[in-house]
Amino acid sequence: MFNLISNSMRKRARVMLFLLPILLVSDQLWAKSTKLLILGDSLSAGYGLTQAQNWVSLLQNAWLKSDISVINAAISGETTDGALARLPRLLNQHSPTHVYVELGGNDGLQGHSISKMRTNLSKIIELSQQANTTVILQEMQIPTNYGRRYTELFTQAYQTLADEYDVVLIPFFLADIALNNDLMQADGIHPNAKAQPMIAQSMQQHLKALLLE
């Protein structure tokens, strides 16, 4: 009986010794995987486009063979209020390593308080950082017809937040595209299908180095 038990224990030990390197490699690969959560509005949700045309989908396709996965949680019409309410569930559900925040455009277009918008974005950054994620903040811009002071305060809010929380601020990705009617939809706010590959390429350049740091 003792010999049978000893033989069984030795077999189990050999199996564990065989599996241990595999488990360690698996854990290392899991640790290295990067998960990017897109928290945005219609500019990232692909308003007026098919899912396949959207720049986020194009970015996902470009990274199919990499260790980077992209979760698009952007919703058309989203405000900082709505995104802040959704964020805890998204963090819990997806456990991202990085959160890309593309928000505020609808707050500005609806004339919301800049102070309230900045407070919401602050809370979004804080919640994300508390979940041990790296936050990447997208600068946003709005049309100048909202008045010079409001427009300036709106744009300055992003640099203020980036400095306060020491997060990377990416320049507004439609800065040049928005001035070209051939690249915009009829509403003059949303980029068309022709512009999406350009945005995807630009975002890939901006984001990849940050994601692999």
Side-chain angles (χ1 to χ4, degrees):
M1 177 66 76
F2 178 77
N3 287 336
L4 289 174
I5 293 174
S6 297
N7 288 336
S8 176
M9 291 177 66
R10 282 196 291 269
K11 287 180 181 178
R12 289 180 182 178
R14 284 196 293 270
V15 170
M16 289 303 297
L17 287 172
F18 174 75
L19 290 177
L20 186 58
I22 297 175
L23 292 172
L24 288 173
V25 170
S26 177
D27 285 345
Q28 289 170 0
L29 289 174
W30 180 259
K32 288 181 180 178
S33 64
T34 299
K35 193 180 292 187
L36 174 65
L37 176 70
I38 308 286
L39 189 68
D41 54 29
S42 56
L43 297 181
S44 295
Y47 175 85
L49 306 167
T50 66
Q51 182 177 345
Q53 291 174 320
N54 183 20
W55 73 264
V56 177
S57 295
L58 297 177
L59 191 65
Q60 288 174 317
N61 293 337
W63 287 340
L64 278 178
K65 296 182 180 180
S66 74
D67 289 330
I68 303 172
S69 58
V70 182
I71 303 103
N72 193 359
I75 297 177
S76 291
E78 186 67 292
T79 61
T80 57
D81 280 318
L84 177 58
R86 292 192 299 125
L87 183 58
R89 179 183 58 81
L90 291 170
L91 291 172
N92 184 61
Q93 179 181 356
H94 299 290
S95 298
T97 57
H98 296 73
V99 176
Y100 165 73
V101 181
E102 180 269 301
L103 292 164
N106 288 312
D107 296 63
L109 292 175
Q110 295 170 25
H112 290 184
S113 162
I114 300 295
S115 177
K116 179 68 183 301
M117 180 192 79
R118 190 169 58 242
T119 297
N120 286 342
L121 288 172
S122 294
K123 290 179 180 178
I124 286 170
I125 293 171
E126 289 171 3
L127 282 173
S128 299
Q129 291 180 335
Q130 288 166 11
N132 295 318
T133 73
T134 299
V135 177
I136 302 167
L137 184 61
Q138 174 66 69
E139 178 190 57
M140 302 297 288
Q141 294 180 11
I142 56 174
T144 56
N145 57 317
Y146 284 81
R148 180 178 176 181
R149 177 171 171 73
Y150 185 86
T151 303
E152 288 180 352
L153 288 174
F154 178 89
T155 303
Q156 289 170 4
Y158 293 88
Q159 187 61 62
T160 299
L161 288 166
D163 293 340
E164 181 179 353
Y165 290 96
D166 192 25
V167 299
V168 173
L169 180 66
I170 296 180
F172 185 48
F173 57 31
L174 296 185
D176 296 325
I177 290 173
L179 300 176
N180 187 338
N181 290 333
D182 290 337
L183 299 177
M184 298 296 289
Q185 296 183 40
D187 61 12
I189 295 174
H190 298 94
N192 60 26
K194 193 186 210 177
Q196 299 303 308
M198 299 169 62
I199 298 171
Q201 183 178 14
S202 174
M203 294 307 294
Q204 184 175 5
Q205 292 173 351
H206 279 296
L207 292 173
K208 191 167 186 180
L210 299 172
L211 297 176
L212 299 179
E213 283 184 349

